[in-house]
Amino acid sequence: MTSAPPEDLFTLRRRPASDRLVDGGFRNLTIVLASFVAITLLAIFITVFQGAREAMREFGLTFITTSNWNPVDNEYGAFTAIYGTLVSSIMALVIAVPLGVGTAIFITENLIPLRWREVIGVMVELLAAIPSVVLGLWAIFVMEPFIRPFLQFLYDALGWLPFFNSPPQGPGMAPAIIILVVMVLPIITSISRDALNQVPNELRQGAYGVGSTRWVAILSVILPAAVSSIVGGVMLSLGRAMGETMAVTMIIGNSNNFSFSLLAPGNTIASMLANQFGEADGVQVSALLYAAVILMVLTFSVNIAAQWIIKKLSLKY
Amino acid sequence: MTSTTQATPATNTCLALENVSISYGSFEAVRNVHMDIPAGKVTAFIGPSGCGKSTVLRALNRMNDLIEGCSLKGRVVFDAQNIYAKEVDPVEVRRRIGMVFQKPNPFPKSIYENIAFGARINGYKGDMDELVERSLRKAFIWDETKDKLKESGNALSGGQQQRLCIARAIAVEPEVILMDEPCSALDPISTLKIEELMHELKKTFSIVIVTHNMQQAVRVSDQTAFFNAEAVEGGSGKVGYLVEFNETERIFNAPVQQATQDYVTGRFG
């Protein structure tokens, strides 16, 4: 004989209305929270774009191609700042990528005892914890005087190249590039380290199993397997470098006179905004917002390119 | 090879372990292993989990070097040379003693490159296309891959990937191939294919295989080593040791040790 289960043991077989309400409410709450980010982003873009419209009408594309920045006559061209933004961030990456990826390889592959690797890893992460204004101070008072003899040597030896054809005079593009290296190094290193750690150990063993030396295994098997995330990290840090403000403003010299020389003072969009917004009015505000739009477009495209490259390069294993 | 000079196979040792103990940090995994692995045969390592059979296998081509804190005492003699001697380069050891792993691990490269990679780093000077075809044929996977050599090795099924990995191992023409539970991630049909392949391969190579599957040991191996683990007084965890090493026939039908008898008849482990 089959007996029906006692009915009072499972009291929630039918969900009460309040239970459903909580579920639905939670769903709506997450929608609100998630949209908040997107709406903020859109709102920022629209506001900045609105503010920039006056300057866009007035200067059009000549804003991008000329470097005459004269608030007295209300003439604005941001070429120096755009050039400075691109050159400083790209040069910083040229230096930081080999350093960062190299460090990541060093602390993931067992080249030195685990203890030392952990210490180096922690130190790299601590580097990211230094506030940028402190880095800027350090750049002004310690780093720049320290590297000045080397910059002077570059000028003396390679002064015939347009990139080194002015004497170093303190603040300038070169120290700004170096401070950017310091700032993006932790990002590149920690993302590369995570990427290398995610390469399955079986793949490593496979490489060593056919008789690879360590370098062959790293260069032809492990790095290619991790390259998509590494490139993604590099692109993220490019976006970071372009938008970096404080430390760069303190050391770059903030000059709107265009010069190819890396030893001369220069400007980036971010440092120009930081420097001039306080005392700007009228068309100058609009011109600065126009520059901000350009900076946002640059960083957005870098981020989108990063997503695309990660998708393209990612391997299955 | 001439058929007139028949060396007695039993005396033809390929790898000799002399009092080998292996530790991970302060934890001793395997203790005092002595064995002579014969050349030109299939030798199987069986035993319960944690008995150190995979550890011993990886010690045979210094794969344990890649594991932090792993150390070995004793000698592993290959070609009259202790492969753990200071002057021996582990990379050269691995070029002569290849390995196939538990989980198929083709490189994220094309099928062709998977084979060519090892040959290239071993300085192969011959015709690469020919070597790739020959290796894939030997591993019984040529027919399935000949039309897609440029495709990724990861596009293959698990069983095909494992045969690709075997092809990759034999492409560098090692003298010994170590197989660490090569079929444990595969379906029965793929397993059967790889077992057939092993019968073919032992004509050219010496094979050492770790397996959890006793029927597989019976089917493929000529010699079987049974490892077991026992708790040590004062120590944490169990330490593995070699119980018995003999012809497969003897191990499964007339073992000397009681523990072997219990294991092969399924009474424990």
Side-chain angles (χ1 to χ4, degrees), chain A residues 110 112-114 117 202-214 216-217 220-221 224-225 315-317, chain B residues 58 61 63 65-66 68 91 94-95 97-99 101 103 105-109 117-118 121-122 154 168-169 172:
Chain A
N110 53 352
I112 46 169
L114 185 64
R117 280 186 268 152
E202 289 89 30
L203 215 53
R204 259 185 204 96
Q205 293 181 341
Y208 290 117
V210 290
S212 302
T213 59
R214 200 194 299 273
V216 169
S220 5
V221 177
L315 299 161
K316 281 190 303 171
Y317 44 73
Chain B
R58 284 199 309 267
N61 70 344
M63 217 50 165
D65 288 18
L66 303 178
E68 202 91 29
V91 170
R94 293 183 203 123
R95 287 179 184 179
I97 306 179
M99 190 150 194
F101 299 87
K103 219 174 114 194
N105 58 350
F107 301 132
K109 301 170 185 280
F117 175 75
I121 60 174
N122 279 271
N154 288 297
R168 176 177 78 186
V172 301

Side-chain angles (χ1 to χ4, degrees), chain A residues 2-130:
Chain A
T2 58
S3 63
E7 263 164 39
D8 53 343
L9 280 182
F10 296 95
T11 56
L12 289 180
R13 283 243 202 256
R14 301 196 66 84
R15 292 175 62 196
S18 64
D19 202 44
R20 287 162 203 263
L21 207 67
V22 168
D23 255 15
F26 188 70
R27 182 168 159 272
N28 291 336
L29 182 69
T30 50
I31 289 174
V32 169
L33 292 176
S35 341
F36 197 72
V37 176
I39 290 169
T40 312
L41 183 72
L42 262 178
I44 291 173
F45 205 93
I46 289 168
T47 323
V48 174
F49 194 81
Q50 282 291 346
R53 274 177 65 182
E54 190 188 345
M56 284 178 176
R57 240 191 338 266
E58 198 141 326
F59 308 113
L61 286 179
T62 55
F63 186 76
I64 300 172
T65 53
T66 59
S67 58
N68 181 22
W69 190 274
N70 189 346
V72 180
D73 298 337
N74 267 340
E75 282 173 14
Y76 300 102
F79 182 72
T80 306
I82 295 171
Y83 172 83
T85 303
L86 293 175
V87 166
S88 64
S89 47
I90 290 170
M91 285 298 293
L93 281 196
V94 167
I95 301 170
V97 168
L99 262 178
V101 175
T103 311
I105 290 172
F106 198 64
I107 58 184
T108 49
E109 304 304 311
N110 53 352
L111 294 157
I112 46 169
L114 185 64
R115 265 197 95 72
W116 290 105
R117 280 186 268 152
E118 279 172 350
V119 169
I120 295 174
V122 168
M123 282 162 95
V124 169
E125 260 151 41
L126 285 182
L127 193 57
I130 300 176

Side-chain angles (χ1 to χ4, degrees), chain B residues 16-75:
Chain B
L17 288 86
E18 295 171 8
N19 202 15
V20 169
S21 302
I22 305 168
S23 311
Y24 296 113
S26 59
F27 167 70
E28 193 170 36
V30 194
R31 176 181 288 177
N32 304 348
V33 176
H34 291 267
M35 68 194 296
D36 290 338
I37 295 169
K41 298 205 166 194
V42 178
T43 303
F45 290 1
I46 61 169
S49 296
C51 67
K53 52 193 188 303
S54 284
T55 302
V56 172
L57 186 81
R58 284 199 309 267
L60 300 181
N61 70 344
R62 295 196 58 173
M63 217 50 165
N64 281 336
D65 288 18
L66 303 178
I67 298 171
E68 202 91 29
C70 186
S71 60
L72 180 139
K73 278 183 293 188
R75 285 156 52 87

Side-chain angles (χ1 to χ4, degrees), chain B residues 83-186:
Chain B
I83 62 171
Y84 282 86
K86 267 210 164 55
E87 66 274 16
V88 173
D89 183 349
V91 170
E92 286 174 13
V93 171
R94 293 183 203 123
R95 287 179 184 179
R96 296 179 65 190
I97 306 179
M99 190 150 194
V100 175
F101 299 87
Q102 183 167 2
K103 219 174 114 194
N105 58 350
F107 301 132
K109 301 170 185 280
S110 69
I111 292 169
Y112 185 97
E113 270 306 306
N114 260 283
I115 309 291
F117 175 75
R120 209 173 286 135
I121 60 174
N122 279 271
Y124 180 66
K125 287 276 181 284
D127 179 354
M128 191 62 83
D129 292 351
E130 189 264 337
L131 177 76
V132 169
E133 175 171 350
R134 179 153 45 92
S135 307
L136 289 170
R137 271 191 199 284
K138 269 195 209 160
F140 296 166
I141 194 177
W142 171 250
D143 289 335
E144 291 147 273
T145 55
K146 63 182 175 198
D147 299 324
K148 45 180 179 182
L149 292 175
K150 292 278 166 281
E151 283 174 35
S152 167
N154 288 297
L156 299 171
S157 76
Q160 291 172 329
Q161 285 185 15
Q162 194 62 302
R163 277 177 283 145
L164 176 64
C165 292
I166 294 175
R168 176 177 78 186
I170 58 188
V172 301
E173 296 185 4
E175 287 143 71
V176 188
I177 298 180
L178 310 175
M179 297 185 172
D180 189 359
E181 296 182 42
C183 303
S184 66
L186 304 183

